[in-house]
Amino acid sequence: MKKFLLIVLMLIFSAGYTFAQKHITINEDCVYLDELTASHIPHNKVECGIKAGSEKLITKDVIQSHLDKAGIKGTVLNDILVSRQWEKLSYEKVAEYIEAEYKKAYPDMKIVVDQIRIAENIYDNPNVKMNISCDTSKLGGGYAQIKLDNNKYQIYYYVKGFKDAYITTERIKAGDSLAGKVKKVSVEVTNLKSEIIDNAESLASSKAVPAGKVITADIVQEKPALKKGEAVKIIVSNGTLHIETHGVVEENAMPGKQVLVRNLTSQKIISGSYIGNSIVKADF
């Protein structure tokens, strides 16, 4: 009995393989013999020009002829329907959409989609409406949701924003005017923590800043009316008593703000309010 079974197996093997596949799915425009037969026989082209999203019936006679040409013994039992998937959703298409959405939110900026991570299994079917939604409330990293038919996918992206802004051209001390010490260039604003200032040349620095620093609201102040060391008239008045004397400001003076002044007669440092015209009204 064992000898009989062995003889039968040898006869089957000598007759070659039997191929009975009925349907396959491919990703590119050509279908190959090993795909049609689901085997490890040569990767020979059988038919090309299969359009994305279409189907092509490859008859068993065509497949048989390719097997014969390859010198492979086998019998094909069925015609095979080949379905080609749609093209994978492209980086460029998603980037273009995200860029357009961010430009609506930031019309005065240049938007650059720096990176996108798309899952391998998202295919772009032009016959199915695709919806992409993303949060444009901030620049930088974010997630977008893609809806294709009844399927939902999430992708990661990173968006950079660029805008014309003033930067310092030299190191500036605290209190110094920015006039003549800044220039306007395109800068990345993705991670700026404070608002860009447009009228930088009419302001002063509120702190020491290096060259190349973007001028933002947190590092500027109004230009001082008087700089430290400038002469002022000190007035002390309470309605019945009125005294005037000379002094110098010990710090930059801003209109309507408190400032320390040195009385040149007594050499004492007192506090007062700068009221303009080089006059400090001292606290009584």
Side-chain angles (χ1 to χ4, degrees):
M1 183 65 178
K2 289 183 179 179
K3 185 175 181 180
F4 174 75
L5 289 174
L6 182 60
I7 292 172
V8 171
L9 289 172
M10 291 178 64
L11 287 171
I12 293 173
F13 183 78
S14 64
Y17 298 99
T18 299
F19 303 104
Q21 207 164 345
K22 293 184 179 180
H23 180 267
I24 65 168
T25 301
I26 60 174
N27 297 324
E28 51 185 280
D29 67 339
C30 291
V31 63
Y32 297 85
L33 194 55
D34 55 342
E35 293 175 319
L36 292 167
T37 56
S39 66
H40 297 293
I41 60 181
H43 191 62
N44 297 340
K45 288 181 182 177
V46 174
E47 180 129 4
C48 289
I50 302 172
K51 294 182 179 180
S54 68
E55 295 180 334
K56 177 74 175 181
L57 185 68
I58 310 295
T59 67
K60 61 183 180 181
D61 293 337
V62 169
I63 302 169
Q64 189 68 61
S65 68
H66 280 274
L67 284 173
D68 295 342
K69 287 179 183 178
I72 299 168
K73 292 182 179 181
T75 302
V76 182
L77 300 181
N78 304 302
D79 297 337
I80 299 179
L81 183 65
V82 177
S83 299
R84 183 182 171 190
Q85 293 178 310
W86 292 105
E87 298 289 348
K88 288 184 178 179
L89 187 61
S90 70
Y91 179 104
E92 290 76 18
K93 184 171 182 177
V94 176
E96 183 179 345
Y97 178 87
I98 292 174
E99 181 182 333
E101 289 299 298
Y102 272 82
K103 281 184 176 179
K104 293 177 186 176
Y106 306 94
D108 58 340
M109 288 187 194
K110 176 185 176 182
I111 299 297
V112 175
V113 182
D114 188 54
Q115 54 182 284
I116 296 177
R117 290 207 292 266
I118 305 176
E120 290 293 318
N121 62 338
I122 307 179
Y123 291 87
D124 183 14
N125 182 346
N127 297 324
V128 176
K129 184 179 179 180
M130 180 176 69
N131 293 311
I132 303 180
S133 59
C134 54
D135 179 9
T136 60
S137 62
K138 64 181 182 67
L139 298 169
Y143 288 91
Q145 187 179 81
I146 296 178
K147 185 176 180 182
L148 276 168
D149 203 7
N150 293 320
N151 299 313
K152 292 182 179 179
Y153 308 92
Q154 196 173 59
I155 64 171
Y156 170 83
Y157 62 84
Y158 192 89
V159 168
K160 293 180 178 179
F162 295 84
K163 188 177 180 180
D164 286 347
Y166 284 102
I167 65 168
T168 54
T169 56
E170 58 186 85
R171 180 173 175 78
I172 300 176
K173 296 178 181 178
D176 282 358
S177 169
L178 297 176
K181 300 174 184 177
V182 293
K183 66 178 180 179
K184 211 166 194 179
V185 297
S186 178
V187 300
E188 184 181 350
V189 298
T190 309
N191 297 311
L192 286 182
K193 304 300 182 184
S194 188
E195 183 182 356
I196 286 175
I197 297 299
D198 291 328
N199 58 333
E201 291 188 313
S202 65
L203 299 172
S205 176
S206 63
K207 62 180 72 175
V209 292
K213 178 75 172 178
V214 179
I215 304 301
T216 52
D218 60 327
I219 63 170
V220 294
Q221 62 184 8
E222 293 182 16
K223 285 183 181 179
L226 295 175
K227 288 187 177 182
K228 179 180 178 180
E230 290 195 65
V232 291
K233 181 190 291 185
I234 301 173
I235 297 176
V236 180
S237 178
N238 67 353
T240 58
L241 177 66
H242 184 85
I243 301 172
E244 293 184 6
T245 187
H246 296 288
V248 294
V249 289
E250 290 294 302
E251 57 189 348
N252 293 337
M254 307 291 288
K257 300 293 180 66
Q258 291 292 109
V259 63
L260 295 176
V261 292
R262 180 183 296 276
N263 184 325
L264 294 180
T265 302
S266 66
Q267 295 300 311
K268 289 184 177 180
I269 296 176
I270 59 177
S271 175
S273 176
Y274 181 67
I275 61 176
N277 297 320
S278 298
I279 299 173
V280 173
K281 186 176 182 181
D283 299 332
F284 191 77

